[in-house]
Amino acid sequence: MRDATRCVHHPAISEEGYASLAVPTHRASTIVYPDAASFLARHGRGPDGYSYGLSGTPTTRRLEAQLTALHGGARTLLVPSGQAAASLPMLALLKPGDSVLIPDSVYPPVRAFCRDVLGPLGIGWRAYDPLVGAAMAGLIDDTVRLIWMESPGSGTMEVQDVPAIVAAAKARGVLTGCDNTWATALNFKPLAHGVDIVAEALTKYAGGHSDLLMGAVTVADIALRDRIKALLGALGIGVSPDEAALALRGLETMAVRLAHAGRVAADFARRLQDHPAVERVLHPALPSCPGHSHWTRDFAGVSGLFSVLMKPGTAEHTGTALDRLKVFAIGASWGGTRSLVAPMAVAGDRTAAPWTHEGALLRISIGLEDADDLWADLAGMIDGFVGR
C-alpha cells in the first residue's frame, strides 16, 4: 500500500478497555457495506438501520433513544428546529381536504405555516380557544384529522386541558399532537395522557446554552414514526451529529438547570404580582393563570419561562424600561444559561379568543445567574414602567 492510499485508509485499532462516559460523535455521509449483496439489500435495513448518513448515525440515534425513554414513547425523530417539529408532522399526516385545529395561543410561526403552506395545499385549519377543554368535541367535523396543542402557550401561558381534548379526539378517531417545549418531559409527559405526537424545541432546555437549533418529534406509535420519517427522507431533512452531541451534553444537566430556573421564576412571578405597574403575571403555578387547575393536576413542576402583563397606559415606557437591563438580555428564544426578556405582540395572532389587553406583554426567561442579581435588574426594569 502506497503512502497516498495510507493517507485515506484508516488503520484498525483495538478499542478493548476503552469505556468513556462521553457519547462519541459519529459523523458520516457514506455508510459502507461488507459486500455487494449487503449494499443491494440496504433498503431492507428499515428505518432503524444504517444505510446513509442522512438517516442517522449512532450519535443521533442515542439522542433519539434518550428522548424516547424520557417520554415513554415508541420512537423519536430529530429535525432541524422546534418549528420543524411542529410543522413536519402536519405535512406528513394531512392531505388535501383534511384540516387541523390549532390553539389560538400557538407559537406564531405554526399559525403562519398553516396559513401559508397548508392552506394553499388544500389543507384546512382553524384556531380554537386554548381553554376549550371538553367542548372541543363540538369543534370536530368530518375534515379534522389532527388537533394540535401547546400547553402552556409559550407567550400567554394558557394551560390546556390535555386529557379532555384527547378524549374528544379519540372519540372521533382524530390524532393529537402537543408542543411540550415549556415543560420538557421532566415536568409533563403528553404521551402518558393519550397524546399521539409530542413536539419539542431542543433549542431550548435540552440544548440549554443558546448555541443549538434542533427539534424532536416523539410518537406513541411506530406507524406514525414511519409516515413522518418517510417525509423527512423525501425532503432530505436530517440533523448534524455534532448538534446531536451538544443536545446529549445538555440533557445531562437539564434537570438541574430546569429546577433552578423554575424555582427562581416562580419566586419572581409571585413577587411581581404586587408591583403597581403590573396588571397580571401569567405563570402556570399562580392561581390567576388561565388553566392553573390543569397545571396542578397534570404537571410535575415548572420551567423558567413566564409572562408579565403591564397595566394599560404603561406601554409607552417599554423601550426606556427595557434599556435599563444590565443582567438580562433582550432576545427571542429561552431555556439557555442567560436570562432574557422579550416584548410580545399578541393581539394580531388571535382570532378565536381575541386578546383585548392594552398593556405591554413581557416574556421573561430565567437563566442561571445569581437570583439576587436577576431580581435587582428585573425590579429596576419594571420600575421603569412607572417612571421611577
Side-chain angles (χ1 to χ4, degrees):
M1 186 180 290
R2 292 173 172 79
D3 285 349
T5 304
R6 292 183 188 277
C7 287
V8 177
H9 290 246
H10 303 292
I13 62 168
S14 171
E15 294 187 9
E16 183 180 354
Y18 179 77
S20 172
L21 288 174
V23 178
T25 302
H26 293 274
R27 304 180 185 91
S29 55
T30 297
I31 303 295
V32 296
Y33 298 80
D35 50 50
S38 298
F39 179 77
L40 293 172
R42 65 191 182 280
H43 297 300
R45 293 187 172 188
D48 290 323
Y50 297 107
S51 58
Y52 191 67
L54 190 63
S55 65
T57 74
T59 307
T60 57
R61 295 290 170 80
R62 184 75 63 92
L63 177 56
E64 290 173 347
Q66 194 161 357
L67 293 168
T68 299
L70 283 168
H71 277 291
R75 290 291 192 283
T76 295
L77 297 166
L78 302 178
V79 292
S81 67
Q83 168 68 358
S87 60
L88 289 170
M90 295 183 188
L91 198 60
L93 301 174
L94 301 172
K95 64 182 186 303
D98 294 343
S99 63
V100 57
L101 302 180
I102 61 173
D104 225 14
S105 54
V106 77
Y107 178 50
V110 174
R111 182 188 292 263
F113 173 79
C114 292
R115 180 188 65 234
D116 300 334
V117 178
L118 296 185
L121 293 176
I123 298 170
W125 67 278
R126 284 181 283 136
Y128 65 87
D129 185 336
L131 300 176
V132 67
M136 176 64 73
L139 303 180
I140 302 173
D141 61 27
D142 291 340
T143 70
V144 175
R145 296 290 179 268
L146 175 64
I147 298 172
W148 195 254
M149 294 169 277
E150 182 178 311
S151 185
S154 59
T156 47
M157 299 291 142
E158 297 94 338
V159 184
Q160 297 192 250
D161 191 344
V162 172
I165 293 173
V166 167
K170 287 186 179 299
R172 295 290 297 273
V174 173
L175 293 170
T176 54
C178 183
D179 186 329
N180 194 52
T181 304
W182 182 90
T184 79
L186 299 180
N187 286 330
F188 184 55
K189 299 184 188 296
L191 299 183
H193 293 272
V195 175
D196 299 295
I197 303 159
V198 178
E200 290 184 334
L202 304 184
T203 306
K204 311 306 198 252
Y205 286 114
H209 293 78
S210 304
D211 58 0
L212 167 68
L213 288 169
M214 190 182 293
V217 180
T218 303
V219 296
D221 181 78
I222 289 289
L224 289 174
R225 186 281 304 268
D226 291 347
R227 292 172 66 182
I228 298 169
K229 191 172 181 66
L231 176 68
L232 300 185
L235 295 177
I237 292 174
V239 301
S240 160
D242 295 273
E243 291 185 316
L246 288 176
L248 283 163
R249 174 180 285 191
L251 280 177
E252 293 185 12
T253 61
M254 184 172 72
V256 178
R257 290 184 286 105
L258 195 62
H260 170 82
R263 181 175 61 254
V264 174
D267 176 48
F268 287 5
R270 286 188 289 269
R271 290 202 235 177
L272 288 171
Q273 290 181 107
D274 299 324
H275 194 283
V278 172
E279 179 77 14
R280 192 179 190 185
V281 179
L282 301 172
H283 187 296
L286 297 180
S288 59
C289 188
H292 167 73
S293 62
H294 306 144
W295 174 83
T296 301
R297 181 192 65 196
D298 298 335
F299 285 66
V302 295
S303 74
L305 188 76
F306 66 102
S307 295
V308 178
L309 179 62
M310 309 306 297
K311 286 185 176 177
T314 62
E316 64 185 42
H317 300 298
T318 301
T320 55
L322 290 176
D323 287 345
R324 292 183 170 201
L325 294 169
K326 295 180 174 60
V327 181
F328 281 83
I330 301 171
S333 198
W334 36 279
T337 60
R338 287 289 303 274
S339 295
L340 299 171
V341 175
M344 306 289 289
V346 177
D349 291 319
R350 294 298 183 104
T351 55
W355 186 259
T356 59
H357 301 284
E358 297 178 0
L361 183 70
L362 305 178
R363 190 174 71 178
I364 299 170
S365 172
I366 299 300
L368 300 184
E369 301 95 337
D370 180 85
D372 290 338
D373 287 339
L374 287 174
W375 177 251
D377 201 40
L378 183 60
M381 183 270 291
I382 296 292
D383 284 346
F385 279 88
V386 289
R388 291 183 181 176

